[in-house]
Amino acid sequence: MTQTEIKYVQDTFMKVLPISDAAATLFYDRLFELDPSTKALFSNMAKQKKVLMDTLKTVVYSLHEFDTVRPAVRELGKRHVRYHVEERHYATVGQALLYALEKGLGSDFTPEVKQAWASAYTFLANTMKEAAKEVPVK
């Protein structure tokens, strides 16, 4: 990611925080619309929405020094294997995230912001998927 992309993501995330519950709802509603099978991966949606926003907050504010959170992101990728997350789910999650950001940010979701978030998500997802491949198949 470029420094400009990091700035776009961090600046717009500041605008997402006040609407975090609505943004999380938009995200999960869209995720379940795109792939209804993902709904079975979650049990406590109130808790999951908070976890989503807390995780995003940690990662977004660590983008300048991603190596500090890389071990935690890798562990997250490994845990997702135990949650039955498949590699194909990552693309759908990315689509749902961009949708929620577009709806939540409105006119602040410019093409540059969209590209920055897509880069950030791809970076995060690739880190998680790499770690997931290290989990032994049972």
PDB file of all heavy atoms in Angstrom, residues 106-135:
ATOM      1  N   GLY A 106     -21.063   7.566   1.641  1.00  0.00           N
ATOM      2  CA  GLY A 106     -21.735   8.397   0.645  1.00  0.00           C
ATOM      3  C   GLY A 106     -20.748   9.057  -0.309  1.00  0.00           C
ATOM      4  O   GLY A 106     -19.877   8.398  -0.870  1.00  0.00           O
ATOM      5  N   SER A 107     -20.845  10.373  -0.444  1.00  0.00           N
ATOM      6  CA  SER A 107     -20.004  11.107  -1.400  1.00  0.00           C
ATOM      7  C   SER A 107     -18.524  11.105  -1.023  1.00  0.00           C
ATOM      8  O   SER A 107     -17.672  11.416  -1.854  1.00  0.00           O
ATOM      9  CB  SER A 107     -20.503  12.551  -1.551  1.00  0.00           C
ATOM     10  OG  SER A 107     -20.403  13.233  -0.319  1.00  0.00           O
ATOM     11  N   ASP A 108     -18.213  10.750   0.215  1.00  0.00           N
ATOM     12  CA  ASP A 108     -16.805  10.649   0.625  1.00  0.00           C
ATOM     13  C   ASP A 108     -16.142   9.372   0.087  1.00  0.00           C
ATOM     14  O   ASP A 108     -14.932   9.216   0.181  1.00  0.00           O
ATOM     15  CB  ASP A 108     -16.666  10.670   2.152  1.00  0.00           C
ATOM     16  CG  ASP A 108     -16.943  12.045   2.724  1.00  0.00           C
ATOM     17  OD1 ASP A 108     -16.631  13.055   2.059  1.00  0.00           O
ATOM     18  OD2 ASP A 108     -17.487  12.102   3.849  1.00  0.00           O
ATOM     19  N   PHE A 109     -16.950   8.479  -0.461  1.00  0.00           N
ATOM     20  CA  PHE A 109     -16.416   7.231  -1.016  1.00  0.00           C
ATOM     21  C   PHE A 109     -16.080   7.467  -2.492  1.00  0.00           C
ATOM     22  O   PHE A 109     -16.773   7.028  -3.392  1.00  0.00           O
ATOM     23  CB  PHE A 109     -17.414   6.084  -0.843  1.00  0.00           C
ATOM     24  CG  PHE A 109     -16.829   4.722  -1.059  1.00  0.00           C
ATOM     25  CD1 PHE A 109     -15.937   4.190  -0.142  1.00  0.00           C
ATOM     26  CD2 PHE A 109     -17.160   3.964  -2.173  1.00  0.00           C
ATOM     27  CE1 PHE A 109     -15.393   2.929  -0.335  1.00  0.00           C
ATOM     28  CE2 PHE A 109     -16.617   2.701  -2.362  1.00  0.00           C
ATOM     29  CZ  PHE A 109     -15.732   2.182  -1.455  1.00  0.00           C
ATOM     30  N   THR A 110     -15.001   8.164  -2.698  1.00  0.00           N
ATOM     31  CA  THR A 110     -14.546   8.513  -4.045  1.00  0.00           C
ATOM     32  C   THR A 110     -13.859   7.304  -4.692  1.00  0.00           C
ATOM     33  O   THR A 110     -13.525   6.336  -3.995  1.00  0.00           O
ATOM     34  CB  THR A 110     -13.547   9.678  -3.980  1.00  0.00           C
ATOM     35  OG1 THR A 110     -12.381   9.238  -3.260  1.00  0.00           O
ATOM     36  CG2 THR A 110     -14.155  10.916  -3.305  1.00  0.00           C
ATOM     37  N   PRO A 111     -13.617   7.370  -5.996  1.00  0.00           N
ATOM     38  CA  PRO A 111     -12.879   6.271  -6.628  1.00  0.00           C
ATOM     39  C   PRO A 111     -11.506   6.034  -5.984  1.00  0.00           C
ATOM     40  O   PRO A 111     -11.077   4.882  -5.854  1.00  0.00           O
ATOM     41  CB  PRO A 111     -12.730   6.729  -8.085  1.00  0.00           C
ATOM     42  CG  PRO A 111     -13.916   7.620  -8.310  1.00  0.00           C
ATOM     43  CD  PRO A 111     -14.113   8.332  -6.985  1.00  0.00           C
ATOM     44  N   GLU A 112     -10.848   7.095  -5.553  1.00  0.00           N
ATOM     45  CA  GLU A 112      -9.545   6.951  -4.899  1.00  0.00           C
ATOM     46  C   GLU A 112      -9.673   6.246  -3.547  1.00  0.00           C
ATOM     47  O   GLU A 112      -8.837   5.411  -3.192  1.00  0.00           O
ATOM     48  CB  GLU A 112      -8.877   8.316  -4.710  1.00  0.00           C
ATOM     49  CG  GLU A 112      -8.544   9.028  -6.001  1.00  0.00           C
ATOM     50  CD  GLU A 112      -9.724   9.782  -6.625  1.00  0.00           C
ATOM     51  OE1 GLU A 112     -10.792   9.911  -5.971  1.00  0.00           O
ATOM     52  OE2 GLU A 112      -9.574  10.233  -7.767  1.00  0.00           O
ATOM     53  N   VAL A 113     -10.706   6.595  -2.818  1.00  0.00           N
ATOM     54  CA  VAL A 113     -10.961   5.963  -1.517  1.00  0.00           C
ATOM     55  C   VAL A 113     -11.306   4.486  -1.718  1.00  0.00           C
ATOM     56  O   VAL A 113     -10.809   3.618  -0.999  1.00  0.00           O
ATOM     57  CB  VAL A 113     -12.069   6.712  -0.743  1.00  0.00           C
ATOM     58  CG1 VAL A 113     -12.553   5.912   0.455  1.00  0.00           C
ATOM     59  CG2 VAL A 113     -11.567   8.086  -0.313  1.00  0.00           C
ATOM     60  N   LYS A 114     -12.127   4.216  -2.714  1.00  0.00           N
ATOM     61  CA  LYS A 114     -12.494   2.823  -3.007  1.00  0.00           C
ATOM     62  C   LYS A 114     -11.244   2.004  -3.322  1.00  0.00           C
ATOM     63  O   LYS A 114     -11.077   0.888  -2.803  1.00  0.00           O
ATOM     64  CB  LYS A 114     -13.465   2.760  -4.184  1.00  0.00           C
ATOM     65  CG  LYS A 114     -13.882   1.353  -4.538  1.00  0.00           C
ATOM     66  CD  LYS A 114     -14.874   1.334  -5.691  1.00  0.00           C
ATOM     67  CE  LYS A 114     -15.306  -0.097  -5.989  1.00  0.00           C
ATOM     68  NZ  LYS A 114     -16.314  -0.133  -7.066  1.00  0.00           N
ATOM     69  N   GLN A 115     -10.367   2.542  -4.151  1.00  0.00           N
ATOM     70  CA  GLN A 115      -9.136   1.830  -4.507  1.00  0.00           C
ATOM     71  C   GLN A 115      -8.247   1.617  -3.281  1.00  0.00           C
ATOM     72  O   GLN A 115      -7.653   0.557  -3.109  1.00  0.00           O
ATOM     73  CB  GLN A 115      -8.361   2.585  -5.595  1.00  0.00           C
ATOM     74  CG  GLN A 115      -7.067   1.906  -6.007  1.00  0.00           C
ATOM     75  CD  GLN A 115      -7.263   0.463  -6.460  1.00  0.00           C
ATOM     76  OE1 GLN A 115      -8.124   0.177  -7.279  1.00  0.00           O
ATOM     77  NE2 GLN A 115      -6.478  -0.453  -5.907  1.00  0.00           N
ATOM     78  N   ALA A 116      -8.173   2.620  -2.424  1.00  0.00           N
ATOM     79  CA  ALA A 116      -7.353   2.500  -1.216  1.00  0.00           C
ATOM     80  C   ALA A 116      -7.892   1.403  -0.310  1.00  0.00           C
ATOM     81  O   ALA A 116      -7.125   0.578   0.213  1.00  0.00           O
ATOM     82  CB  ALA A 116      -7.301   3.838  -0.482  1.00  0.00           C
ATOM     83  N   TRP A 117      -9.198   1.378  -0.108  1.00  0.00           N
ATOM     84  CA  TRP A 117      -9.790   0.336   0.729  1.00  0.00           C
ATOM     85  C   TRP A 117      -9.634  -1.039   0.088  1.00  0.00           C
ATOM     86  O   TRP A 117      -9.387  -2.032   0.787  1.00  0.00           O
ATOM     87  CB  TRP A 117     -11.262   0.638   1.016  1.00  0.00           C
ATOM     88  CG  TRP A 117     -11.433   1.525   2.194  1.00  0.00           C
ATOM     89  CD1 TRP A 117     -11.613   2.875   2.210  1.00  0.00           C
ATOM     90  CD2 TRP A 117     -11.417   1.122   3.573  1.00  0.00           C
ATOM     91  NE1 TRP A 117     -11.715   3.336   3.500  1.00  0.00           N
ATOM     92  CE2 TRP A 117     -11.606   2.274   4.359  1.00  0.00           C
ATOM     93  CE3 TRP A 117     -11.274  -0.106   4.215  1.00  0.00           C
ATOM     94  CZ2 TRP A 117     -11.644   2.236   5.746  1.00  0.00           C
ATOM     95  CZ3 TRP A 117     -11.319  -0.149   5.604  1.00  0.00           C
ATOM     96  CH2 TRP A 117     -11.504   1.014   6.355  1.00  0.00           C
ATOM     97  N   ALA A 118      -9.776  -1.120  -1.225  1.00  0.00           N
ATOM     98  CA  ALA A 118      -9.583  -2.401  -1.906  1.00  0.00           C
ATOM     99  C   ALA A 118      -8.148  -2.888  -1.710  1.00  0.00           C
ATOM    100  O   ALA A 118      -7.921  -4.076  -1.449  1.00  0.00           O
ATOM    101  CB  ALA A 118      -9.916  -2.267  -3.391  1.00  0.00           C
ATOM    102  N   SER A 119      -7.195  -1.981  -1.788  1.00  0.00           N
ATOM    103  CA  SER A 119      -5.791  -2.351  -1.566  1.00  0.00           C
ATOM    104  C   SER A 119      -5.574  -2.825  -0.137  1.00  0.00           C
ATOM    105  O   SER A 119      -4.896  -3.827   0.102  1.00  0.00           O
ATOM    106  CB  SER A 119      -4.868  -1.164  -1.849  1.00  0.00           C
ATOM    107  OG  SER A 119      -4.863  -0.863  -3.210  1.00  0.00           O
ATOM    108  N   ALA A 120      -6.146  -2.094   0.813  1.00  0.00           N
ATOM    109  CA  ALA A 120      -5.990  -2.465   2.223  1.00  0.00           C
ATOM    110  C   ALA A 120      -6.609  -3.836   2.486  1.00  0.00           C
ATOM    111  O   ALA A 120      -6.003  -4.687   3.150  1.00  0.00           O
ATOM    112  CB  ALA A 120      -6.624  -1.417   3.125  1.00  0.00           C
ATOM    113  N   TYR A 121      -7.800  -4.052   1.951  1.00  0.00           N
ATOM    114  CA  TYR A 121      -8.453  -5.334   2.185  1.00  0.00           C
ATOM    115  C   TYR A 121      -7.672  -6.473   1.529  1.00  0.00           C
ATOM    116  O   TYR A 121      -7.488  -7.538   2.126  1.00  0.00           O
ATOM    117  CB  TYR A 121      -9.910  -5.342   1.699  1.00  0.00           C
ATOM    118  CG  TYR A 121     -10.505  -6.707   1.898  1.00  0.00           C
ATOM    119  CD1 TYR A 121     -10.835  -7.148   3.178  1.00  0.00           C
ATOM    120  CD2 TYR A 121     -10.638  -7.603   0.841  1.00  0.00           C
ATOM    121  CE1 TYR A 121     -11.300  -8.434   3.399  1.00  0.00           C
ATOM    122  CE2 TYR A 121     -11.107  -8.887   1.052  1.00  0.00           C
ATOM    123  CZ  TYR A 121     -11.440  -9.298   2.332  1.00  0.00           C
ATOM    124  OH  TYR A 121     -11.887 -10.581   2.543  1.00  0.00           O
ATOM    125  N   THR A 122      -7.215  -6.265   0.325  1.00  0.00           N
ATOM    126  CA  THR A 122      -6.446  -7.290  -0.375  1.00  0.00           C
ATOM    127  C   THR A 122      -5.182  -7.642   0.409  1.00  0.00           C
ATOM    128  O   THR A 122      -4.843  -8.817   0.574  1.00  0.00           O
ATOM    129  CB  THR A 122      -6.094  -6.825  -1.803  1.00  0.00           C
ATOM    130  OG1 THR A 122      -7.313  -6.596  -2.513  1.00  0.00           O
ATOM    131  CG2 THR A 122      -5.251  -7.849  -2.539  1.00  0.00           C
ATOM    132  N   PHE A 123      -4.524  -6.634   0.916  1.00  0.00           N
ATOM    133  CA  PHE A 123      -3.323  -6.831   1.725  1.00  0.00           C
ATOM    134  C   PHE A 123      -3.641  -7.661   2.964  1.00  0.00           C
ATOM    135  O   PHE A 123      -2.957  -8.649   3.283  1.00  0.00           O
ATOM    136  CB  PHE A 123      -2.763  -5.454   2.094  1.00  0.00           C
ATOM    137  CG  PHE A 123      -1.490  -5.474   2.871  1.00  0.00           C
ATOM    138  CD1 PHE A 123      -0.335  -6.026   2.341  1.00  0.00           C
ATOM    139  CD2 PHE A 123      -1.439  -4.921   4.141  1.00  0.00           C
ATOM    140  CE1 PHE A 123       0.852  -6.031   3.066  1.00  0.00           C
ATOM    141  CE2 PHE A 123      -0.261  -4.925   4.866  1.00  0.00           C
ATOM    142  CZ  PHE A 123       0.886  -5.479   4.328  1.00  0.00           C
ATOM    143  N   LEU A 124      -4.686  -7.300   3.658  1.00  0.00           N
ATOM    144  CA  LEU A 124      -5.112  -8.013   4.863  1.00  0.00           C
ATOM    145  C   LEU A 124      -5.534  -9.445   4.527  1.00  0.00           C
ATOM    146  O   LEU A 124      -5.101 -10.402   5.177  1.00  0.00           O
ATOM    147  CB  LEU A 124      -6.265  -7.260   5.531  1.00  0.00           C
ATOM    148  CG  LEU A 124      -6.889  -7.893   6.754  1.00  0.00           C
ATOM    149  CD1 LEU A 124      -5.900  -7.916   7.902  1.00  0.00           C
ATOM    150  CD2 LEU A 124      -8.139  -7.127   7.149  1.00  0.00           C
ATOM    151  N   ALA A 125      -6.385  -9.595   3.515  1.00  0.00           N
ATOM    152  CA  ALA A 125      -6.888 -10.913   3.140  1.00  0.00           C
ATOM    153  C   ALA A 125      -5.756 -11.834   2.696  1.00  0.00           C
ATOM    154  O   ALA A 125      -5.732 -13.018   3.062  1.00  0.00           O
ATOM    155  CB  ALA A 125      -7.935 -10.783   2.035  1.00  0.00           C
ATOM    156  N   ASN A 126      -4.812 -11.302   1.945  1.00  0.00           N
ATOM    157  CA  ASN A 126      -3.690 -12.135   1.499  1.00  0.00           C
ATOM    158  C   ASN A 126      -2.848 -12.617   2.675  1.00  0.00           C
ATOM    159  O   ASN A 126      -2.400 -13.757   2.697  1.00  0.00           O
ATOM    160  CB  ASN A 126      -2.823 -11.390   0.481  1.00  0.00           C
ATOM    161  CG  ASN A 126      -3.496 -11.302  -0.874  1.00  0.00           C
ATOM    162  OD1 ASN A 126      -4.436 -12.024  -1.180  1.00  0.00           O
ATOM    163  ND2 ASN A 126      -3.009 -10.394  -1.700  1.00  0.00           N
ATOM    164  N   THR A 127      -2.650 -11.756   3.656  1.00  0.00           N
ATOM    165  CA  THR A 127      -1.915 -12.143   4.858  1.00  0.00           C
ATOM    166  C   THR A 127      -2.652 -13.265   5.592  1.00  0.00           C
ATOM    167  O   THR A 127      -2.041 -14.253   6.022  1.00  0.00           O
ATOM    168  CB  THR A 127      -1.716 -10.929   5.786  1.00  0.00           C
ATOM    169  OG1 THR A 127      -1.014  -9.907   5.068  1.00  0.00           O
ATOM    170  CG2 THR A 127      -0.932 -11.306   7.040  1.00  0.00           C
ATOM    171  N   MET A 128      -3.960 -13.136   5.707  1.00  0.00           N
ATOM    172  CA  MET A 128      -4.758 -14.153   6.382  1.00  0.00           C
ATOM    173  C   MET A 128      -4.771 -15.463   5.604  1.00  0.00           C
ATOM    174  O   MET A 128      -4.643 -16.547   6.193  1.00  0.00           O
ATOM    175  CB  MET A 128      -6.183 -13.634   6.602  1.00  0.00           C
ATOM    176  CG  MET A 128      -6.271 -12.508   7.615  1.00  0.00           C
ATOM    177  SD  MET A 128      -7.939 -11.822   7.757  1.00  0.00           S
ATOM    178  CE  MET A 128      -8.818 -13.217   8.449  1.00  0.00           C
ATOM    179  N   LYS A 129      -4.917 -15.388   4.288  1.00  0.00           N
ATOM    180  CA  LYS A 129      -4.978 -16.596   3.466  1.00  0.00           C
ATOM    181  C   LYS A 129      -3.644 -17.350   3.482  1.00  0.00           C
ATOM    182  O   LYS A 129      -3.634 -18.584   3.531  1.00  0.00           O
ATOM    183  CB  LYS A 129      -5.381 -16.257   2.028  1.00  0.00           C
ATOM    184  CG  LYS A 129      -6.838 -15.843   1.903  1.00  0.00           C
ATOM    185  CD  LYS A 129      -7.296 -15.704   0.467  1.00  0.00           C
ATOM    186  CE  LYS A 129      -6.673 -14.534  -0.235  1.00  0.00           C
ATOM    187  NZ  LYS A 129      -7.246 -14.313  -1.590  1.00  0.00           N
ATOM    188  N   GLU A 130      -2.554 -16.617   3.468  1.00  0.00           N
ATOM    189  CA  GLU A 130      -1.237 -17.261   3.555  1.00  0.00           C
ATOM    190  C   GLU A 130      -1.104 -18.045   4.856  1.00  0.00           C
ATOM    191  O   GLU A 130      -0.631 -19.182   4.869  1.00  0.00           O
ATOM    192  CB  GLU A 130      -0.125 -16.216   3.468  1.00  0.00           C
ATOM    193  CG  GLU A 130       0.083 -15.626   2.098  1.00  0.00           C
ATOM    194  CD  GLU A 130       1.039 -14.444   2.110  1.00  0.00           C
ATOM    195  OE1 GLU A 130       1.770 -14.264   3.113  1.00  0.00           O
ATOM    196  OE2 GLU A 130       1.046 -13.692   1.126  1.00  0.00           O
ATOM    197  N   ALA A 131      -1.520 -17.432   5.945  1.00  0.00           N
ATOM    198  CA  ALA A 131      -1.437 -18.107   7.243  1.00  0.00           C
ATOM    199  C   ALA A 131      -2.385 -19.304   7.293  1.00  0.00           C
ATOM    200  O   ALA A 131      -2.039 -20.354   7.863  1.00  0.00           O
ATOM    201  CB  ALA A 131      -1.754 -17.125   8.363  1.00  0.00           C
ATOM    202  N   ALA A 132      -3.554 -19.165   6.710  1.00  0.00           N
ATOM    203  CA  ALA A 132      -4.531 -20.249   6.722  1.00  0.00           C
ATOM    204  C   ALA A 132      -3.989 -21.499   6.033  1.00  0.00           C
ATOM    205  O   ALA A 132      -4.295 -22.625   6.435  1.00  0.00           O
ATOM    206  CB  ALA A 132      -5.830 -19.795   6.041  1.00  0.00           C
ATOM    207  N   LYS A 133      -3.158 -21.319   5.027  1.00  0.00           N
ATOM    208  CA  LYS A 133      -2.578 -22.459   4.303  1.00  0.00           C
ATOM    209  C   LYS A 133      -1.641 -23.277   5.180  1.00  0.00           C
ATOM    210  O   LYS A 133      -1.328 -24.422   4.869  1.00  0.00           O
ATOM    211  CB  LYS A 133      -1.855 -21.973   3.056  1.00  0.00           C
ATOM    212  CG  LYS A 133      -2.797 -21.464   1.989  1.00  0.00           C
ATOM    213  CD  LYS A 133      -2.019 -20.921   0.800  1.00  0.00           C
ATOM    214  CE  LYS A 133      -3.002 -20.321  -0.201  1.00  0.00           C
ATOM    215  NZ  LYS A 133      -2.297 -19.666  -1.310  1.00  0.00           N
ATOM    216  N   GLU A 134      -1.179 -22.690   6.281  1.00  0.00           N
ATOM    217  CA  GLU A 134      -0.270 -23.384   7.189  1.00  0.00           C
ATOM    218  C   GLU A 134      -1.009 -24.292   8.171  1.00  0.00           C
ATOM    219  O   GLU A 134      -0.376 -25.077   8.881  1.00  0.00           O
ATOM    220  CB  GLU A 134       0.571 -22.364   7.968  1.00  0.00           C
ATOM    221  CG  GLU A 134       1.459 -21.529   7.073  1.00  0.00           C
ATOM    222  CD  GLU A 134       2.135 -20.389   7.829  1.00  0.00           C
ATOM    223  OE1 GLU A 134       2.019 -20.341   9.073  1.00  0.00           O
ATOM    224  OE2 GLU A 134       2.752 -19.549   7.159  1.00  0.00           O
ATOM    225  N   VAL A 135      -2.326 -24.161   8.236  1.00  0.00           N
ATOM    226  CA  VAL A 135      -3.111 -24.968   9.162  1.00  0.00           C
ATOM    227  C   VAL A 135      -3.274 -26.373   8.575  1.00  0.00           C
ATOM    228  O   VAL A 135      -3.724 -26.522   7.434  1.00  0.00           O
ATOM    229  CB  VAL A 135      -4.498 -24.334   9.414  1.00  0.00           C
ATOM    230  CG1 VAL A 135      -5.352 -25.226  10.311  1.00  0.00           C
ATOM    231  CG2 VAL A 135      -4.341 -22.952  10.025  1.00  0.00           C
TER     232      VAL A 135
END
